[in-house]
Amino acid sequence: QAVLLNSRINQLRSTPFSSLFPVNNFVEFDNNPGFYYKIDIKHTDQSFTTIYSDNSTDFKLITIEIRHGPGEELVKILSDTFVISNII
């Protein structure tokens, strides 16, 4: 799970800001059957404390969750939260 989590984070960090979209339901990895991921994206401000419902900010607060199996019965969900900015 940790390897898949880090791989997905690196992939998201290399994706253009405007091309980052949430994945609202768990989706199975193509090359890793039995492992699933979900991506939550919220717009935030520079303090990373306020969440906005529109796309008016240059910061995306991203939470990614990796699950092994159909639920959390056997292995807990592994997750990480980070910020990606549109500021160059």
Side-chain angles (χ1 to χ4, degrees):
Q1 282 175 283
V3 171
L4 292 173
L5 177 66
N6 287 327
S7 174
R8 187 58 60 164
I9 288 171
N10 288 335
Q11 182 182 30
L12 291 170
R13 288 190 183 279
S14 66
T15 301
F17 186 83
S18 61
S19 299
L20 293 169
F21 300 104
V23 177
N24 296 321
N25 298 311
F26 279 98
V27 174
E28 190 169 28
F29 281 90
D30 291 335
N31 297 327
N32 298 95
F35 289 90
Y36 302 83
Y37 68 95
K38 181 172 126 176
I39 302 169
D40 183 43
I41 299 177
K42 295 183 169 98
H43 290 268
T44 186
D45 59 11
Q46 286 181 313
S47 67
F48 313 129
T49 56
T50 304
I51 302 299
Y52 296 92
S53 59
D54 59 10
N55 300 340
S56 64
T57 71
D58 287 321
F59 300 93
K60 291 184 179 181
L61 182 66
I62 300 173
T63 301
I64 182 167
E65 298 177 342
I66 306 291
R67 182 180 82 193
H68 183 223
E72 286 191 80
E73 300 84 29
L74 299 176
V75 180
K76 294 289 184 190
I77 290 175
L78 187 61
S79 67
D80 197 3
T81 300
F82 57 98
V83 173
I84 293 183
S85 169
N86 195 30
I87 297 175
I88 299 173

